[in-house]
Amino acid sequence: MSGERVIGLSVDQDETARWSIELERAIATSGRPLKLIPDADPATVDYLVYNIDGGVTEFSAYTRLRAILNTWAGVEAVVGKVSWPEHVPFVRMVETGMTEGMSEYFVGHTMRYLLDIDRAQGQSSAGVWQKWTPRLARHTPVGVLGLGELGTATAGKLAALGFPVHGWSRNPKALPGITCHDGPEGLEKILKTSQVLILILPLTESTRHVLNAQTLGLLPKGACIINAGRGPLIDDDALLGALHSGQVRHATLDVFATEPLPSDHPYWRNSNVTVTPHIAAETRFDTAAEAILLQIGRDLDGFALQHVVDARAGY
């Protein structure tokens, strides 16, 4: 393939400068015949680096478009709301920095629960010397709901630390060191054994409120939950009820149905909830730009793009 290809940019205005710097750096490193034009005429754009905050919701003017490269891992903001040409791949963001950050978030909070760090902090603040015996990883089954790129990396790291790890996905999977489940029966099995439950599913109609009063009741009493997938994976009222009854000991939540989390939301006032402000899967501009250039390089070399969204499946 000869000739210079144009990369356009349609992202949040506050991020345009940072994306431009990192994409220019990645282009220079790649040595590819590419030119970044952030405000390019749509008719000249071959590859569009995109998120919905950039304002583009209709792509008919992009007559040369070869791929749309989303800067976010999640795509529920566009699927069913934005139409793109069927022949143009819409690629979700999968990049090493995000994968490392997300998996480290889950591992860190799982270790916090394992070692009962919250209890230590409480006793330290109160000046209480009272011993306990922390659990061992090998006695603490962990369930990972969602075995995509991020869930697989998380499950692998936890298994390497000695946790018995069970993973669940919509379709059957086989991963070394992970007990994999699928379908409704598999979900029931994984819930019944998970003393720590991790949610890293995409948001679809079938995963909305996957944790509800019924499914929360399947967990071992006193289980802990970590959600950095999507807020509506959890029925908030059901989780608050499970926390009140002691069915769930603690929940660490990074994502919410409404963000920022409203100041009057009961999660803020619940001592058994840890709120983090949607930081687990922050895009690292440098590694994300490299990931975008790798995808463009695949297209230039005649290979199929990876991580292409299936609009019918919702992710």
Side-chain angles (χ1 to χ4, degrees):
M1 185 180 293
S2 60
E4 193 171 60
R5 296 287 183 173
V6 172
I7 300 175
L9 191 57
S10 179
V11 297
D12 186 306
Q13 187 174 0
D14 292 340
E15 296 182 348
T16 298
R18 184 67 188 276
W19 275 115
S20 297
I21 291 169
E22 297 300 342
L23 286 167
E24 290 282 15
R25 181 178 293 130
I27 290 168
T29 301
S30 75
R32 299 282 189 176
L34 296 164
K35 184 175 183 179
L36 176 68
I37 306 178
D39 56 351
D41 177 351
T44 68
V45 173
D46 298 286
Y47 303 101
L48 183 64
V49 177
Y50 174 86
N51 63 52
I52 199 167
D53 287 347
V56 175
T57 58
E58 207 276 324
F59 296 91
S60 60
Y62 290 85
T63 54
R64 278 176 42 173
L65 200 58
R66 299 180 61 83
I68 303 166
L69 300 137
N70 201 35
T71 66
W72 300 343
V75 294
E76 70 277 0
V78 294
V79 173
K81 304 175 183 68
V82 172
S83 295
W84 61 91
E86 289 187 5
H87 69 281
V88 177
F90 191 104
V91 179
R92 60 186 174 84
M93 175 58 69
V94 175
E95 56 98 0
T96 57
M98 183 183 294
T99 302
E100 290 172 22
M102 178 71 88
S103 58
E104 288 167 5
Y105 179 95
F106 284 127
V107 169
H109 285 284
T110 300
M111 292 300 298
R112 167 189 163 203
Y113 290 145
L114 177 73
L115 300 175
D116 216 345
I117 298 300
D118 292 350
R119 178 176 179 173
Q121 288 181 324
Q123 290 188 184
S124 179
S125 298
V128 173
W129 180 280
Q130 184 177 2
K131 291 188 176 183
W132 72 93
T133 303
R135 299 179 66 91
L136 296 175
R138 60 188 170 90
H139 295 152
T140 309
V142 177
V144 179
L145 301 189
L147 291 175
E149 201 83 19
L150 300 174
T152 296
T154 298
K157 286 185 177 181
L158 289 166
L161 289 170
F163 290 94
V165 180
H166 295 250
W168 182 82
S169 55
R170 189 179 67 165
N171 298 312
K173 290 199 172 184
L175 298 172
I178 312 300
T179 303
C180 295
H181 306 269
D182 61 273
E185 290 184 1
L187 179 60
E188 183 174 334
K189 285 181 181 178
I190 199 171
L191 290 173
K192 286 181 175 179
T193 61
S194 298
Q195 292 174 359
V196 177
L197 185 69
I198 286 169
L199 284 81
I200 186 56
L201 289 163
L203 179 62
T204 67
E205 283 310 306
S206 63
T207 62
R208 184 180 295 275
H209 289 183
V210 66
L211 284 193
N212 51 52
Q214 179 185 359
T215 52
L216 286 165
L218 296 175
L219 292 168
K221 190 172 180 64
C224 296
I225 292 169
I226 311 170
N227 183 20
R230 288 293 179 262
L233 297 175
I234 297 177
D235 180 329
D236 289 342
D237 289 339
L239 177 56
L240 288 164
L243 288 162
H244 179 73
S245 71
Q247 173 64 14
V248 173
R249 175 162 67 93
H250 197 281
T252 295
L253 307 175
D254 187 58
V255 287
F256 306 91
T258 301
E259 295 185 5
L261 185 66
S263 59
D264 61 350
H265 198 287
Y267 282 150
W268 287 116
R269 300 184 298 278
N270 194 310
S271 61
N272 294 321
V273 175
T274 297
V275 170
T276 59
H278 205 138
I279 58 170
E282 279 293 282
T283 297
R284 275 73 173 175
F285 291 93
D286 53 348
T287 49
E290 293 167 4
I292 287 168
L293 263 291
L294 284 173
Q295 292 286 353
I296 292 173
R298 288 182 65 86
D299 184 64
L300 292 172
D301 292 339
F303 296 106
L305 296 181
Q306 301 167 309
H307 318 303
V308 175
V309 173
D310 181 345
R312 289 170 296 182
Y315 60 93

